[in-house]
Amino acid sequence: METRTVADIVREVTDISDEHFRQAVDVQKETREPLAQVLANMGLISEKEKARILGRQWGIPFVDLAERQLDRELLKTIPLHMMQRWKAVPVDRNGPRLVVAMVNPLDVYAIDQMRLVAGMDIESVIATAEEINAALGQSMSAREEIGATLQEMSEELGADTSDIQVEANPDADEEVSLDQLREMMEDAPVVRLANLIIRQAVRDKASDIHIQPELNRVRVRYRDDGVLHDAMTVPKKAQAPLISRLKVMADLDIAEKRAPQDGRMSLRVAGGEYDFRVSTNPGVNGEKVVMRILDKRGVQARLDQLGISAVIMDEFESLVRRSYGIITVTGPTGSGKSTTLYSVLNTLNSPEKNILTIEDPVEYQLTGLTQTQVNQRAGVTFASALRTFLRQDPDIILVGEIRDPETALIATEAALTGHLVFSTLHTNDAPTAVARLIEMGIEPFLIASSVIGILAQRLVRVICADCKESYTPPVEAFRRLNLAMDLESVTFYRGKGCDRCRQTGYRGRTGVFELMVISDHLRELILRKAPTHEIRQAALESGMITLRQDAMQKILEGVTTMEEALRVVYAG
Protein backbone atom coordinates (compact mmCIF):
# COMPACT_ATOMS: atom_id res chain seq x y z
CA MET A 1 0.00 0.00 0.00
CA GLU A 2 1.37 3.42 -1.01
CA THR A 3 2.14 5.71 1.93
CA ARG A 4 0.76 9.23 1.62
CA THR A 5 2.86 12.14 2.86
CA VAL A 6 1.50 15.22 4.64
CA ALA A 7 2.09 17.12 1.40
CA ASP A 8 -0.13 14.64 -0.45
CA ILE A 9 -2.91 15.05 2.12
CA VAL A 10 -2.68 18.85 2.04
CA ARG A 11 -3.03 18.85 -1.75
CA GLU A 12 -6.00 16.44 -1.52
CA VAL A 13 -7.86 18.67 0.94
CA THR A 14 -6.86 22.17 -0.21
CA ASP A 15 -5.99 24.08 -3.35
CA ILE A 16 -3.05 26.13 -2.02
CA SER A 17 -0.25 26.89 -4.43
CA ASP A 18 3.17 25.24 -4.38
CA GLU A 19 4.71 28.59 -3.45
CA HIS A 20 2.49 28.95 -0.37
CA PHE A 21 3.17 25.34 0.58
CA ARG A 22 6.93 25.91 0.45
CA GLN A 23 6.56 29.07 2.57
CA ALA A 24 4.63 27.06 5.19
CA VAL A 25 7.31 24.36 5.23
CA ASP A 26 9.96 27.04 5.85
CA VAL A 27 7.94 28.47 8.74
CA GLN A 28 7.40 24.99 10.17
CA LYS A 29 11.15 24.42 10.33
CA GLU A 30 11.33 27.37 12.72
CA THR A 31 8.16 26.83 14.79
CA ARG A 32 8.14 22.98 14.84
CA GLU A 33 4.33 23.07 14.80
CA PRO A 34 2.28 20.57 12.73
CA LEU A 35 2.19 21.68 9.12
CA ALA A 36 -1.61 21.93 9.16
CA GLN A 37 -1.40 24.32 12.13
CA VAL A 38 1.23 26.44 10.37
CA LEU A 39 -0.93 26.66 7.26
CA ALA A 40 -3.89 27.77 9.41
CA ASN A 41 -1.78 30.33 11.29
CA MET A 42 -0.66 31.82 7.98
CA GLY A 43 -4.27 32.08 6.84
CA LEU A 44 -3.66 29.72 3.91
CA ILE A 45 -6.28 27.17 4.99
CA SER A 46 -9.43 27.29 7.11
CA GLU A 47 -9.86 25.62 10.49
CA LYS A 48 -12.12 23.06 8.82
CA GLU A 49 -9.43 22.20 6.27
CA LYS A 50 -6.89 21.94 9.10
CA ALA A 51 -9.12 19.44 10.92
CA ARG A 52 -9.60 17.40 7.74
CA ILE A 53 -5.82 17.25 7.16
CA LEU A 54 -5.08 16.19 10.75
CA GLY A 55 -7.88 13.62 10.63
CA ARG A 56 -6.45 11.99 7.50
CA GLN A 57 -2.96 12.05 9.02
CA TRP A 58 -4.18 10.26 12.13
CA GLY A 59 -6.69 8.01 10.38
CA ILE A 60 -9.60 9.59 12.32
CA PRO A 61 -12.88 10.59 10.62
CA PHE A 62 -13.75 14.28 10.31
CA VAL A 63 -17.26 15.40 11.33
CA ASP A 64 -18.86 18.61 10.05
CA LEU A 65 -21.01 19.65 13.01
CA ALA A 66 -22.58 22.50 11.04
CA GLU A 67 -24.48 19.87 9.06
CA ARG A 68 -25.66 17.92 12.10
CA GLN A 69 -28.58 18.30 14.49
CA LEU A 70 -27.29 17.14 17.87
CA ASP A 71 -29.32 14.82 20.11
CA ARG A 72 -30.10 16.57 23.42
CA GLU A 73 -30.16 13.21 25.22
CA LEU A 74 -26.64 12.44 24.01
CA LEU A 75 -25.43 15.80 25.33
CA LYS A 76 -26.50 14.73 28.82
CA THR A 77 -24.07 11.79 28.83
CA ILE A 78 -21.06 14.07 29.50
CA PRO A 79 -21.12 17.01 31.95
CA LEU A 80 -20.98 20.48 30.40
CA HIS A 81 -17.78 21.47 32.18
CA MET A 82 -15.99 18.42 30.75
CA MET A 83 -17.15 19.20 27.22
CA GLN A 84 -15.96 22.78 27.63
CA ARG A 85 -12.62 21.76 29.12
CA TRP A 86 -11.71 19.23 26.44
CA LYS A 87 -13.62 20.84 23.55
CA ALA A 88 -15.61 17.68 22.97
CA VAL A 89 -19.28 16.95 22.22
CA PRO A 90 -21.16 13.62 21.81
CA VAL A 91 -22.55 13.27 18.29
CA ASP A 92 -23.73 9.66 17.89
CA ARG A 93 -23.80 6.10 19.20
CA ASN A 94 -22.00 3.28 17.43
CA GLY A 95 -23.25 0.12 19.09
CA PRO A 96 -21.82 0.07 22.62
CA ARG A 97 -19.59 3.08 21.93
CA LEU A 98 -20.29 6.80 22.28
CA VAL A 99 -19.02 8.80 19.30
CA VAL A 100 -17.48 12.07 20.53
CA ALA A 101 -16.26 14.91 18.30
CA MET A 102 -13.05 16.41 19.67
CA VAL A 103 -10.53 19.07 18.69
CA ASN A 104 -7.79 16.70 19.87
CA PRO A 105 -9.07 13.16 19.34
CA LEU A 106 -5.71 11.76 20.49
CA ASP A 107 -6.13 13.07 24.06
CA VAL A 108 -6.11 9.72 25.85
CA TYR A 109 -6.69 11.24 29.30
CA ALA A 110 -9.78 13.16 28.16
CA ILE A 111 -11.16 10.06 26.43
CA ASP A 112 -10.60 7.97 29.58
CA GLN A 113 -12.36 10.54 31.80
CA MET A 114 -15.34 10.74 29.43
CA ARG A 115 -15.52 6.94 29.33
CA LEU A 116 -15.80 6.85 33.12
CA VAL A 117 -18.59 9.46 33.39
CA ALA A 118 -20.54 8.20 30.36
CA GLY A 119 -20.19 4.52 31.29
CA MET A 120 -19.44 3.70 27.65
CA ASP A 121 -16.38 3.25 25.47
CA ILE A 122 -15.51 6.39 23.53
CA GLU A 123 -14.96 6.52 19.77
CA SER A 124 -13.31 9.84 18.95
CA VAL A 125 -13.73 11.79 15.71
CA ILE A 126 -12.26 15.20 14.83
CA ALA A 127 -14.09 18.53 14.45
CA THR A 128 -13.18 22.22 14.62
CA ALA A 129 -13.14 24.11 17.92
CA GLU A 130 -15.48 26.72 16.43
CA GLU A 131 -18.16 24.18 15.55
CA ILE A 132 -17.83 22.36 18.88
CA ASN A 133 -18.25 25.64 20.76
CA ALA A 134 -21.23 26.51 18.56
CA ALA A 135 -22.79 23.13 19.27
CA LEU A 136 -22.35 23.62 23.01
CA GLY A 137 -23.77 27.13 22.76
CA GLN A 138 -26.84 25.88 20.92
CA SER A 139 -27.54 23.29 23.60
CA MET A 140 -29.90 24.75 26.17
CA SER A 141 -27.58 23.84 29.04
CA ALA A 142 -25.57 27.08 28.77
CA ARG A 143 -28.70 29.24 28.69
CA GLU A 144 -30.20 27.22 31.52
CA GLU A 145 -27.01 27.73 33.52
CA ILE A 146 -27.32 31.50 33.07
CA GLY A 147 -30.97 31.39 34.10
CA ALA A 148 -30.18 29.32 37.19
CA THR A 149 -27.38 31.69 38.19
CA LEU A 150 -29.65 34.73 37.82
CA GLN A 151 -32.30 32.99 39.91
CA GLU A 152 -29.75 32.17 42.60
CA MET A 153 -28.55 35.79 42.64
CA SER A 154 -32.11 37.08 42.87
CA GLU A 155 -32.78 34.87 45.87
CA GLU A 156 -29.53 35.82 47.63
CA LEU A 157 -29.94 39.54 46.99
CA GLY A 158 -33.69 39.63 47.49
CA ALA A 159 -33.91 41.16 44.04
CA ASP A 160 -37.61 41.16 43.25
CA THR A 161 -37.56 43.85 40.57
CA SER A 162 -41.26 44.62 41.01
CA ASP A 163 -40.58 45.95 44.51
CA ILE A 164 -37.39 47.87 43.70
CA GLN A 165 -37.59 51.67 43.76
CA VAL A 166 -34.36 53.14 42.43
CA GLU A 167 -33.67 56.83 41.97
CA ALA A 168 -31.89 58.00 38.81
CA ASN A 169 -28.68 58.76 40.65
CA PRO A 170 -25.13 57.78 39.68
CA ASP A 171 -24.29 57.48 43.37
CA ALA A 172 -27.21 55.14 44.05
CA ASP A 173 -24.94 52.31 45.16
CA GLU A 174 -22.76 54.53 47.36
CA GLU A 175 -24.67 53.13 50.34
CA VAL A 176 -22.67 49.93 49.90
CA SER A 177 -19.24 50.25 51.50
CA LEU A 178 -16.14 49.15 49.65
CA ASP A 179 -15.64 46.29 52.11
CA GLN A 180 -19.21 45.10 51.51
CA LEU A 181 -18.73 45.47 47.77
CA ARG A 182 -15.55 43.40 47.79
CA GLU A 183 -17.32 40.69 49.78
CA MET A 184 -20.35 40.69 47.46
CA MET A 185 -18.32 40.53 44.25
CA GLU A 186 -16.43 37.46 45.51
CA ASP A 187 -19.66 35.53 46.11
CA ALA A 188 -19.97 32.46 43.88
CA PRO A 189 -23.11 33.60 41.96
CA VAL A 190 -21.56 36.96 41.00
CA VAL A 191 -18.30 35.37 39.87
CA ARG A 192 -20.23 32.72 37.96
CA LEU A 193 -22.51 35.31 36.34
CA ALA A 194 -19.57 37.44 35.13
CA ASN A 195 -17.93 34.32 33.66
CA LEU A 196 -21.17 33.18 32.02
CA ILE A 197 -21.81 36.58 30.40
CA ILE A 198 -18.32 36.49 28.89
CA ARG A 199 -18.48 32.83 27.88
CA GLN A 200 -21.87 33.17 26.17
CA ALA A 201 -20.66 36.24 24.26
CA VAL A 202 -17.68 34.27 22.93
CA ARG A 203 -19.94 31.38 21.93
CA ASP A 204 -22.30 33.77 20.15
CA LYS A 205 -19.27 35.21 18.31
CA ALA A 206 -20.11 38.66 19.65
CA SER A 207 -17.61 41.48 19.08
CA ASP A 208 -18.69 43.54 22.11
CA ILE A 209 -20.46 43.10 25.45
CA HIS A 210 -22.52 45.99 26.85
CA ILE A 211 -23.44 46.01 30.56
CA GLN A 212 -25.95 48.85 30.68
CA PRO A 213 -27.57 49.96 34.00
CA GLU A 214 -31.13 51.23 33.71
CA LEU A 215 -33.65 52.57 36.23
CA ASN A 216 -34.69 49.25 37.76
CA ARG A 217 -32.63 46.66 35.92
CA VAL A 218 -29.31 46.01 34.17
CA ARG A 219 -29.41 45.11 30.48
CA VAL A 220 -26.74 42.87 29.01
CA ARG A 221 -26.39 43.23 25.25
CA TYR A 222 -24.09 41.62 22.68
CA ARG A 223 -23.03 43.13 19.35
CA ASP A 224 -23.39 40.28 16.88
CA ASP A 225 -22.64 40.79 13.18
CA GLY A 226 -22.45 44.53 13.85
CA VAL A 227 -25.91 44.79 15.46
CA LEU A 228 -26.67 45.08 19.18
CA HIS A 229 -29.27 42.74 20.66
CA ASP A 230 -30.48 42.00 24.19
CA ALA A 231 -28.93 38.90 25.74
CA MET A 232 -30.30 38.95 29.30
CA THR A 233 -31.53 41.15 32.14
CA VAL A 234 -29.76 41.22 35.52
CA PRO A 235 -31.46 42.29 38.79
CA LYS A 236 -30.70 45.89 39.77
CA LYS A 237 -29.29 44.81 43.14
CA ALA A 238 -26.65 42.76 41.31
CA GLN A 239 -25.41 45.85 39.46
CA ALA A 240 -22.76 46.98 41.96
CA PRO A 241 -21.13 43.57 42.59
CA LEU A 242 -21.26 42.55 38.90
CA ILE A 243 -19.68 45.76 37.60
CA SER A 244 -17.12 45.73 40.41
CA ARG A 245 -16.23 42.12 39.57
CA LEU A 246 -15.62 43.07 35.91
CA LYS A 247 -13.56 46.10 36.95
CA VAL A 248 -11.36 43.98 39.21
CA MET A 249 -10.83 41.47 36.39
CA ALA A 250 -9.67 44.38 34.17
CA ASP A 251 -7.44 45.80 36.93
CA LEU A 252 -9.55 48.96 37.33
CA ASP A 253 -10.26 50.97 40.49
CA ILE A 254 -13.61 49.88 41.96
CA ALA A 255 -13.68 52.96 44.21
CA GLU A 256 -13.63 55.32 41.20
CA LYS A 257 -17.17 55.64 39.84
CA ARG A 258 -17.30 59.25 38.64
CA ALA A 259 -14.59 59.14 35.96
CA PRO A 260 -14.27 56.88 32.87
CA GLN A 261 -11.67 54.11 33.06
CA ASP A 262 -10.02 51.86 30.49
CA GLY A 263 -8.49 48.46 31.17
CA ARG A 264 -7.66 45.14 29.63
CA MET A 265 -7.73 41.48 30.59
CA SER A 266 -6.77 38.17 29.01
CA LEU A 267 -8.89 35.07 29.57
CA ARG A 268 -9.10 31.52 28.32
CA VAL A 269 -12.69 31.00 27.23
CA ALA A 270 -14.17 27.90 25.59
CA GLY A 271 -10.69 26.62 24.81
CA GLY A 272 -9.46 29.83 23.17
CA GLU A 273 -7.29 32.73 24.31
CA TYR A 274 -9.08 36.09 24.25
CA ASP A 275 -8.22 39.69 25.09
CA PHE A 276 -10.92 41.99 26.41
CA ARG A 277 -10.61 45.77 26.19
CA VAL A 278 -12.78 47.13 28.99
CA SER A 279 -14.19 50.66 29.11
CA THR A 280 -16.36 52.14 31.88
CA ASN A 281 -18.41 55.31 31.63
CA PRO A 282 -20.48 56.92 34.43
CA GLY A 283 -24.18 57.39 33.64
CA VAL A 284 -27.24 58.58 35.50
CA ASN A 285 -28.16 55.01 36.47
CA GLY A 286 -24.63 53.86 37.24
CA GLU A 287 -21.47 52.86 35.39
CA LYS A 288 -21.85 51.34 31.95
CA VAL A 289 -19.24 48.74 30.97
CA VAL A 290 -18.37 47.91 27.36
CA MET A 291 -15.99 45.04 26.60
CA ARG A 292 -14.43 44.56 23.14
CA ILE A 293 -13.63 40.88 22.48
CA LEU A 294 -10.41 40.09 20.63
CA ASP A 295 -9.40 36.55 19.70
CA LYS A 296 -5.68 36.21 20.50
CA ARG A 297 -5.37 33.35 18.03
CA GLY A 298 -5.46 36.03 15.37
CA VAL A 299 -7.27 36.59 12.14
CA GLN A 300 -7.44 33.36 10.15
CA ALA A 301 -9.35 34.77 7.17
CA ARG A 302 -7.60 34.65 3.83
CA LEU A 303 -7.94 37.50 1.36
CA ASP A 304 -10.22 35.39 -0.81
CA GLN A 305 -12.55 34.86 2.17
CA LEU A 306 -13.26 38.57 2.78
CA GLY A 307 -15.83 38.97 0.02
CA ILE A 308 -13.60 40.89 -2.41
CA SER A 309 -14.93 40.48 -5.96
CA ALA A 310 -12.68 38.89 -8.58
CA VAL A 311 -12.16 42.16 -10.48
CA ILE A 312 -11.14 44.11 -7.37
CA MET A 313 -9.07 41.18 -6.07
CA ASP A 314 -6.91 41.05 -9.20
CA GLU A 315 -6.05 44.75 -8.87
CA PHE A 316 -5.60 44.62 -5.08
CA GLU A 317 -3.29 41.59 -5.19
CA SER A 318 -1.11 43.32 -7.77
CA LEU A 319 -0.87 46.35 -5.46
CA VAL A 320 0.07 44.41 -2.30
CA ARG A 321 2.79 42.55 -4.21
CA ARG A 322 4.61 45.78 -5.07
CA SER A 323 7.89 46.53 -3.33
CA TYR A 324 7.13 50.08 -2.23
CA GLY A 325 4.31 52.62 -1.85
CA ILE A 326 1.45 53.33 0.55
CA ILE A 327 -1.81 51.37 0.52
CA THR A 328 -4.51 52.76 2.81
CA VAL A 329 -7.72 51.07 3.91
CA THR A 330 -10.52 53.46 4.80
CA GLY A 331 -13.88 53.18 6.50
CA PRO A 332 -15.62 53.89 9.80
CA THR A 333 -14.86 52.10 13.07
CA GLY A 334 -15.94 48.46 12.91
CA SER A 335 -15.85 48.21 9.11
CA GLY A 336 -13.25 45.41 9.08
CA LYS A 337 -10.16 47.44 8.17
CA SER A 338 -7.90 45.60 10.64
CA THR A 339 -9.13 42.20 9.43
CA THR A 340 -8.32 43.13 5.83
CA LEU A 341 -4.83 44.36 6.70
CA TYR A 342 -4.04 41.32 8.86
CA SER A 343 -5.21 39.07 6.02
CA VAL A 344 -2.85 40.91 3.66
CA LEU A 345 0.04 40.49 6.09
CA ASN A 346 -0.78 36.79 6.45
CA THR A 347 -0.62 36.51 2.67
CA LEU A 348 2.71 38.37 2.41
CA ASN A 349 4.31 36.84 5.49
CA SER A 350 7.34 34.68 4.66
CA PRO A 351 10.83 34.09 6.10
CA GLU A 352 12.28 36.41 3.42
CA LYS A 353 10.21 39.40 4.59
CA ASN A 354 10.84 41.63 7.61
CA ILE A 355 7.38 42.89 8.60
CA LEU A 356 6.97 45.47 11.39
CA THR A 357 3.71 46.87 12.78
CA ILE A 358 2.83 49.72 15.14
CA GLU A 359 -0.73 49.45 16.46
CA ASP A 360 -2.98 51.03 19.08
CA PRO A 361 -3.63 48.49 20.46
CA VAL A 362 -2.24 45.23 19.02
CA GLU A 363 -5.55 43.48 18.42
CA TYR A 364 -4.31 40.17 17.04
CA GLN A 365 -0.95 38.48 17.32
CA LEU A 366 0.51 37.09 14.11
CA THR A 367 3.36 34.58 13.91
CA GLY A 368 6.53 35.80 12.18
CA LEU A 369 5.86 39.54 12.58
CA THR A 370 7.30 42.12 14.97
CA GLN A 371 4.30 43.90 16.45
CA THR A 372 4.67 47.04 18.59
CA GLN A 373 1.96 48.70 20.65
CA VAL A 374 1.56 52.46 21.10
CA ASN A 375 2.55 53.47 24.64
CA GLN A 376 2.18 57.20 25.22
CA ARG A 377 3.71 57.07 28.71
CA ALA A 378 6.85 55.41 27.37
CA GLY A 379 7.00 57.81 24.42
CA VAL A 380 6.07 55.14 21.86
CA THR A 381 3.82 56.86 19.31
CA PHE A 382 3.01 56.03 15.70
CA ALA A 383 5.55 58.63 14.57
CA SER A 384 8.37 57.62 16.96
CA ALA A 385 7.91 53.93 16.20
CA LEU A 386 7.99 54.64 12.46
CA ARG A 387 11.32 56.43 12.83
CA THR A 388 12.72 53.42 14.69
CA PHE A 389 11.30 51.01 12.09
CA LEU A 390 13.27 52.73 9.33
CA ARG A 391 16.46 51.71 11.14
CA GLN A 392 15.26 48.09 11.46
CA ASP A 393 15.73 47.12 7.79
CA PRO A 394 11.99 46.59 7.11
CA ASP A 395 10.39 45.30 3.92
CA ILE A 396 6.79 45.93 4.96
CA ILE A 397 5.42 48.33 7.58
CA LEU A 398 1.90 48.47 9.01
CA VAL A 399 0.85 51.72 10.69
CA GLY A 400 -2.36 51.09 12.61
CA GLU A 401 -3.78 54.51 11.75
CA ILE A 402 -2.58 57.72 10.16
CA ARG A 403 -4.08 60.25 12.55
CA ASP A 404 -1.63 63.17 12.61
CA PRO A 405 0.59 65.08 10.13
CA GLU A 406 3.87 63.76 11.59
CA THR A 407 2.85 60.13 11.15
CA ALA A 408 1.55 60.81 7.64
CA LEU A 409 4.79 62.54 6.63
CA ILE A 410 7.07 59.76 7.91
CA ALA A 411 4.85 57.12 6.26
CA THR A 412 5.15 58.86 2.89
CA GLU A 413 8.92 59.18 3.32
CA ALA A 414 9.13 55.46 4.17
CA ALA A 415 7.20 54.61 1.00
CA LEU A 416 9.44 56.83 -1.11
CA THR A 417 12.58 55.13 0.23
CA GLY A 418 11.61 51.66 -0.94
CA HIS A 419 9.19 50.29 1.69
CA LEU A 420 5.67 48.94 1.33
CA VAL A 421 3.48 50.72 3.90
CA PHE A 422 -0.06 49.77 4.93
CA SER A 423 -2.29 51.97 7.06
CA THR A 424 -5.88 53.04 7.76
CA LEU A 425 -7.80 56.31 7.54
CA HIS A 426 -11.28 57.28 8.69
CA THR A 427 -12.99 58.49 5.51
CA ASN A 428 -16.29 57.60 3.85
CA ASP A 429 -14.85 56.44 0.52
CA ALA A 430 -11.59 56.04 -1.39
CA PRO A 431 -11.44 59.41 -3.22
CA THR A 432 -12.03 61.33 0.04
CA ALA A 433 -8.82 59.86 1.50
CA VAL A 434 -6.72 62.13 -0.75
CA ALA A 435 -8.43 65.25 0.63
CA ARG A 436 -7.95 63.93 4.16
CA LEU A 437 -4.18 63.60 3.68
CA ILE A 438 -3.97 67.10 2.17
CA GLU A 439 -5.93 68.43 5.19
CA MET A 440 -3.24 66.89 7.40
CA GLY A 441 -0.69 69.10 5.70
CA ILE A 442 0.92 66.53 3.40
CA GLU A 443 2.12 68.11 0.16
CA PRO A 444 0.21 66.89 -2.91
CA PHE A 445 3.46 65.88 -4.65
CA LEU A 446 4.27 63.53 -1.73
CA ILE A 447 0.80 61.97 -1.89
CA ALA A 448 0.99 61.54 -5.66
CA SER A 449 4.45 59.98 -5.42
CA SER A 450 3.83 57.62 -2.49
CA VAL A 451 0.18 56.47 -2.43
CA ILE A 452 -0.45 53.60 -4.87
CA GLY A 453 -3.93 52.49 -3.84
CA ILE A 454 -6.85 53.24 -1.51
CA LEU A 455 -9.36 50.56 -0.46
CA ALA A 456 -12.65 51.66 1.11
CA GLN A 457 -14.83 49.05 2.78
CA ARG A 458 -17.94 48.28 4.83
CA LEU A 459 -19.31 45.10 6.40
CA VAL A 460 -22.78 43.79 5.51
CA ARG A 461 -24.57 40.85 7.09
CA VAL A 462 -24.86 37.66 5.04
CA ILE A 463 -28.22 35.97 4.46
CA CYS A 464 -28.55 32.82 6.59
CA ALA A 465 -28.10 29.80 4.30
CA ASP A 466 -30.52 27.66 6.37
CA CYS A 467 -33.57 29.93 5.99
CA LYS A 468 -32.86 31.73 2.72
CA GLU A 469 -35.95 32.49 0.63
CA SER A 470 -36.84 34.60 -2.39
CA TYR A 471 -39.02 37.71 -2.00
CA THR A 472 -39.98 41.01 -3.61
CA PRO A 473 -38.44 44.05 -1.86
CA PRO A 474 -40.64 47.10 -1.16
CA VAL A 475 -40.90 49.71 -3.92
CA GLU A 476 -39.43 52.35 -1.58
CA ALA A 477 -36.15 50.40 -1.47
CA PHE A 478 -35.84 50.63 -5.26
CA ARG A 479 -36.45 54.37 -5.12
CA ARG A 480 -33.71 54.86 -2.52
CA LEU A 481 -31.29 52.77 -4.57
CA ASN A 482 -32.18 54.63 -7.79
CA LEU A 483 -32.60 51.28 -9.54
CA ALA A 484 -33.87 50.99 -13.06
CA MET A 485 -34.13 47.32 -13.94
CA ASP A 486 -36.58 44.71 -15.05
CA LEU A 487 -37.62 43.32 -11.66
CA GLU A 488 -39.14 40.20 -13.20
CA SER A 489 -35.73 39.13 -14.45
CA VAL A 490 -34.06 39.38 -11.03
CA THR A 491 -34.56 37.22 -7.94
CA PHE A 492 -34.01 38.85 -4.56
CA TYR A 493 -33.38 36.89 -1.37
CA ARG A 494 -33.69 37.32 2.40
CA GLY A 495 -33.48 35.16 5.51
CA LYS A 496 -36.82 34.04 6.92
CA GLY A 497 -35.36 33.51 10.41
CA CYS A 498 -34.43 30.24 12.11
CA ASP A 499 -32.71 28.86 15.20
CA ARG A 500 -29.29 28.86 13.50
CA CYS A 501 -29.43 32.64 12.96
CA ARG A 502 -31.42 33.39 16.14
CA GLN A 503 -34.40 34.49 14.00
CA THR A 504 -32.46 37.40 12.47
CA GLY A 505 -32.27 36.05 8.91
CA TYR A 506 -28.52 36.74 8.86
CA ARG A 507 -25.47 34.72 9.87
CA GLY A 508 -21.97 36.12 9.47
CA ARG A 509 -20.71 39.20 7.60
CA THR A 510 -18.84 39.91 4.41
CA GLY A 511 -17.11 42.94 2.99
CA VAL A 512 -18.23 45.51 0.42
CA PHE A 513 -15.26 47.18 -1.26
CA GLU A 514 -14.16 50.12 -3.41
CA LEU A 515 -10.60 50.18 -4.75
CA MET A 516 -9.04 53.31 -6.25
CA VAL A 517 -5.73 52.55 -7.94
CA ILE A 518 -3.64 55.71 -8.33
CA SER A 519 -3.07 56.08 -12.08
CA ASP A 520 -0.97 58.72 -13.82
CA HIS A 521 -4.09 60.75 -14.56
CA LEU A 522 -5.12 60.66 -10.89
CA ARG A 523 -1.60 61.76 -9.90
CA GLU A 524 -1.97 64.81 -12.12
CA LEU A 525 -5.27 65.67 -10.43
CA ILE A 526 -3.74 65.22 -6.97
CA LEU A 527 -0.77 67.44 -7.89
CA ARG A 528 -3.06 70.32 -8.80
CA LYS A 529 -5.27 69.76 -5.72
CA ALA A 530 -8.34 68.89 -7.78
CA PRO A 531 -11.58 68.66 -5.75
CA THR A 532 -12.74 65.28 -4.56
CA HIS A 533 -15.61 65.04 -7.06
CA GLU A 534 -13.14 65.37 -9.96
CA ILE A 535 -10.90 62.67 -8.52
CA ARG A 536 -13.94 60.43 -8.03
CA GLN A 537 -15.14 61.00 -11.60
CA ALA A 538 -11.68 60.22 -13.01
CA ALA A 539 -11.49 57.04 -10.93
CA LEU A 540 -14.92 55.96 -12.19
CA GLU A 541 -13.89 56.59 -15.79
CA SER A 542 -10.83 54.39 -15.25
CA GLY A 543 -13.06 51.54 -14.07
CA MET A 544 -13.35 51.93 -10.28
CA ILE A 545 -16.19 49.88 -8.79
CA THR A 546 -17.91 51.91 -6.05
CA LEU A 547 -19.13 50.67 -2.67
CA ARG A 548 -22.72 50.97 -3.90
CA GLN A 549 -22.01 49.01 -7.08
CA ASP A 550 -20.28 46.24 -5.11
CA ALA A 551 -23.16 46.15 -2.64
CA MET A 552 -25.67 45.86 -5.47
CA GLN A 553 -23.68 43.00 -6.99
CA LYS A 554 -23.84 41.14 -3.67
CA ILE A 555 -27.60 41.74 -3.51
CA LEU A 556 -28.04 40.29 -7.01
CA GLU A 557 -25.84 37.30 -6.08
CA GLY A 558 -28.06 36.59 -3.07
CA VAL A 559 -25.26 37.23 -0.56
CA THR A 560 -27.02 40.04 1.32
CA THR A 561 -30.34 41.89 1.25
CA MET A 562 -31.38 45.25 -0.14
CA GLU A 563 -32.36 46.39 3.38
CA GLU A 564 -28.91 45.54 4.71
CA ALA A 565 -27.19 47.43 1.89
CA LEU A 566 -29.41 50.44 2.57
CA ARG A 567 -28.53 50.29 6.27
CA VAL A 568 -24.77 50.00 5.84
CA VAL A 569 -23.73 51.45 2.49
CA TYR A 570 -26.48 53.82 1.42
CA ALA A 571 -27.14 55.42 4.81
CA GLY A 572 -26.62 59.13 4.32
Side-chain angles (χ1 to χ4, degrees), residues 290-422:
V290 176
M291 307 168 68
R292 168 63 57 90
I293 305 172
L294 302 169
D295 188 345
K296 291 178 71 173
R297 291 171 295 186
V299 177
Q300 301 299 325
R302 302 194 303 255
L303 267 178
D304 59 5
Q305 296 174 326
L306 300 180
I308 304 176
S309 67
V311 175
I312 296 177
M313 178 65 83
D314 287 343
E315 292 184 309
F316 190 55
E317 282 194 322
S318 69
L319 285 179
V320 303
R321 296 290 180 184
R322 293 197 190 177
S323 57
Y324 63 91
I326 296 178
I327 299 173
T328 63
V329 180
T330 76
T333 301
S335 59
K337 299 187 297 294
S338 295
T339 299
T340 297
L341 287 176
Y342 281 132
S343 298
V344 170
L345 294 185
N346 269 328
T347 300
L348 299 178
N349 190 16
S350 69
E352 298 83 28
K353 295 280 190 352
N354 180 22
I355 303 177
L356 306 176
T357 79
I358 174 65
E359 306 167 59
D360 184 22
V362 173
E363 294 188 3
Y364 301 103
Q365 297 178 19
L366 303 180
T367 304
L369 277 64
T370 301
Q371 295 174 268
T372 303
Q373 184 158 304
V374 168
N375 187 336
Q376 298 287 352
R377 290 183 180 179
V380 180
T381 64
F382 283 119
S384 66
L386 263 176
R387 287 195 198 92
T388 302
F389 286 0
L390 294 177
R391 298 190 293 270
Q392 291 279 308
D393 187 29
D395 296 296
I396 299 170
I397 297 172
L398 168 65
V399 184
E401 182 184 349
I402 294 178
R403 58 173 67 154
D404 59 78
E406 187 180 11
T407 303
L409 181 60
I410 301 171
T412 57
E413 290 173 350
L416 292 173
T417 53
H419 305 94
L420 185 60
V421 180
F422 294 96

Side-chain angles (χ1 to χ4, degrees), residues 17-86:
S17 65
D18 290 340
E19 179 187 354
H20 283 150
F21 184 82
R22 286 192 295 271
Q23 290 175 0
V25 171
D26 290 338
V27 173
Q28 184 199 29
K29 291 176 182 176
E30 297 179 8
T31 64
R32 301 296 181 184
E33 291 180 305
L35 186 60
Q37 184 62 55
V38 172
L39 289 165
N41 291 344
M42 295 176 66
L44 296 173
I45 64 172
S46 66
E47 287 295 312
K48 191 171 289 189
E49 288 172 327
K50 182 185 82 173
R52 289 184 188 276
I53 291 168
L54 292 174
R56 294 193 186 187
Q57 277 186 256
W58 299 334
I60 293 174
F62 168 80
V63 174
D64 191 341
L65 295 182
E67 300 176 355
R68 280 179 173 258
Q69 186 67 37
L70 298 183
D71 186 339
R72 285 181 55 80
E73 292 302 315
L74 278 181
L75 292 172
K76 296 177 182 178
T77 57
I78 298 175
L80 177 63
H81 69 89
M82 281 192 173
M83 292 191 284
Q84 291 168 344
R85 179 179 178 184
W86 291 309

Side-chain angles (χ1 to χ4, degrees), residues 555-567:
I555 293 170
L556 297 177
E557 291 172 355
V559 174
T560 192
T561 64
M562 191 169 293
E563 291 80 3
E564 180 68 2
L566 285 168
R567 181 183 74 86

Side-chain angles (χ1 to χ4, degrees), residues 41 91 97 126 183 202 280 320 373 426 483 523 542 561:
N41 291 344
V91 295
R97 294 190 296 275
I126 191 168
E183 184 177 342
V202 170
T280 70
V320 303
Q373 184 158 304
H426 286 279
L483 291 180
R523 288 191 180 92
S542 65
T561 64

